[in-house]
């Protein structure tokens, strides 16, 4: 994306990691602009290589594009919400990276599910047959229909949609009800329907169904893989979410509100130890990928840490902070492997947000004493490591001018945190 100047106050607030609703609004706008750019890039790529795309896939892609346009003219806010769903970004990244051929064709079929989701949420009348790859129709941010064959028929009108498997007589169709025209909220029921769970007092989905929620082969090192619906306990995740939100609200209400605003999806990963392992996909800001947490503190720290990876990834697309393609790597205190400059910046930023949180926890009399004590210890451990990473950043010639100013503002905030005071109470 082209560089768009930011107000100095917004840039400083973002560098300080402190939450501000106006900053979130700006980042959401930047994310949407980026999403539209990538969607247009996919359309251009398909048209440029249309002779190499399977004829049936091309026909479905073009039909789906027109359906998406129809839904957008009917209810643009809802369609924007579908396009900005984090895992829509993961799909776009995968499709744009795939060489032309059968593998790309499989990615292109995803546009049909995206357009159908937008049309259903926008309350557009529908009567069409839709592909269900692998016997599954996944509606992003809504849920998944199991099909007895590779196609389903969807008939929708006046806030109600019915889904039947083509060529298969089932005693009960899946019914999707539009419960709120303003937000496009859909609720489904039926023996072949699995809907996504919404986390308490938020709009964030517990997404254990989307086929793009984790890349093939997993994410991170060691590789972390997606947990399946059968292995996901929504009640336990809701309890973890409530406990983490309560802890954040008592420690730093602004951060609790930021998490609720910024987070669109929590993607459960397979457990690999007693504590959570979190991750963020650069292509899917607003989604936190995490294994089950050990408790409220673990969950709260993971959410704050990963949300800041999302914020920085979105900001970097709007205002490039470092130059790509450099071979230099650097050692940081929180990882055993050397990191490129982008990884150093990402890690320093996310850990600066945690040190800010821990600093506040040490003096918050409304939080449990074990959390205050633990926060003080973690602050002492991480504060110096973040300071060392900031020195690496400021001595590097790999940052852009904007990136250098961002790192300077981070260092000012880091210095303002000082030493952790003795835990209150």
């Amino acid at each position: 994306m082209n560089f768009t100047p930011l107000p100095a106050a917004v840039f400083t607030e973002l560098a300080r990691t402190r939450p501000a609703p106006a900053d979130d609004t700006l980042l959401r706008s930047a994310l949407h602009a980026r999403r539209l750019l990538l969607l247009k890039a996919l359309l251009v790529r398909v048209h440029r290589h249309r002779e190499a795309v399977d004829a049936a896939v091309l026909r479905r892609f073009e039909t789906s594009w027109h359906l998406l346009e129809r839904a957008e003219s009917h209810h643009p806010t809802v369609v924007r919400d579908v396009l900005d769903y984090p895992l829509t970004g993961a799909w776009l990244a995968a499709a744009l990276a795939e060489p032309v051929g059968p593998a790309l064709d499989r990615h292109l079929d995803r546009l049909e599910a995206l357009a159908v989701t937008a049309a259903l949420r926008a309350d557009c009348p529908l009567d069409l047959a839709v592909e269900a790859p692998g016997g599954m129709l996944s509606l992003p941010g809504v849920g998944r229909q199991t099909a007895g064959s590779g196609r389903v028929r969807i008939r929708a009108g006046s806030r109600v949609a019915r889904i039947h498997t083509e060529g298969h007589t089932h005693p009960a169709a899946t019914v999707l009800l539009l419960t709120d025209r303003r937000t496009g909220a859909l609720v489904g029921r039926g023996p072949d329907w699995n809907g996504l769970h919404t986390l308490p007092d938020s709009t964030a989905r517990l997404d254990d169904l989307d086929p793009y929620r984790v890349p093939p082969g997993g994410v991170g090192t060691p590789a972390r893989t997606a947990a399946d619906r059968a292995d996901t306990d929504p009640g336990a995740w809701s309890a973890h979410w409530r406990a983490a939100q309560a802890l954040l609200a008592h420690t730093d209400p602004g951060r609790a509100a930021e998490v609720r605003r910024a987070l669109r999806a929590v993607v459960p990963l397979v457990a690999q130890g007693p504590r959570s392992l979190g991750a963020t996909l650069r292509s899917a800001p607003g989604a936190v990928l995490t294994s089950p947490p050990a408790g409220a503190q673990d969950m709260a720290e993971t959410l704050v840490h990963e949300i800041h990876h999302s914020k920085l990834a979105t900001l970097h697309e709007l205002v490039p902070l470092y130059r790509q393609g450099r071979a230099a790597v650097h050692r940081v205190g929180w990882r055993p492997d050397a990191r490129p400059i982008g990884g150093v910046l990402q890690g320093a930023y996310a850990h600066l947000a945690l040190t800010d949180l821990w600093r506040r926890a040490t003096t918050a009399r409304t939080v449990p004493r074990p959390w205050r004590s633990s926060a003080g210890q973690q602050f002492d451990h991480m504060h110096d490591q973040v300071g060392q990473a900031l020195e690496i950043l400021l001595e590097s010639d790999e940052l852009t001018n904007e990136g250098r100013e961002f790192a300077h503002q981070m260092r000012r905030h880091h210095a303002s945190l000082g030493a952790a005071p003795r835990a209150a109470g």
Side-chain angles (χ1 to χ4, degrees), residues 85 87-88 110 113 133-146 176 188 190 192-198 205-214 225-234 237 265-269 288-289:
Y85 188 63
L87 302 182
T88 301
R110 180 65 171 170
M136 300 286 181
L137 173 63
S138 174
L139 303 181
V142 179
R144 186 176 69 190
Q145 170 78 10
T146 302
L176 299 180
D192 297 326
W193 175 253
N194 283 296
L196 294 182
H197 299 280
T198 302
R205 301 290 193 265
L206 182 68
D207 200 329
D208 51 0
L209 296 175
D210 195 290
Y212 287 89
R213 64 192 187 276
V214 177
T225 56
D228 294 327
R229 166 57 63 95
D231 301 319
T232 303
D233 181 351
W237 280 100
V266 171
V267 175
L269 301 176
V288 169
L289 288 61

Side-chain angles (χ1 to χ4, degrees), residues 313-336:
T314 304
L315 178 63
H316 177 65
E317 295 292 350
L318 180 64
V319 182
L321 301 174
Y322 55 89
R323 300 175 183 88
Q324 304 281 4
R326 298 294 186 92
V329 291
H330 313 270
R331 293 284 177 183
V332 291
W334 52 83
R335 288 186 64 127

Side-chain angles (χ1 to χ4, degrees), residues 24 27 78 84 153 168 205 258 262 279 289 298 300 323 347 407 421:
D24 293 343
L27 291 179
V78 161
D84 291 354
R153 179 157 290 276
H168 177 73
R205 301 290 193 265
E258 179 182 52
L289 288 61
D298 191 17
R323 300 175 183 88

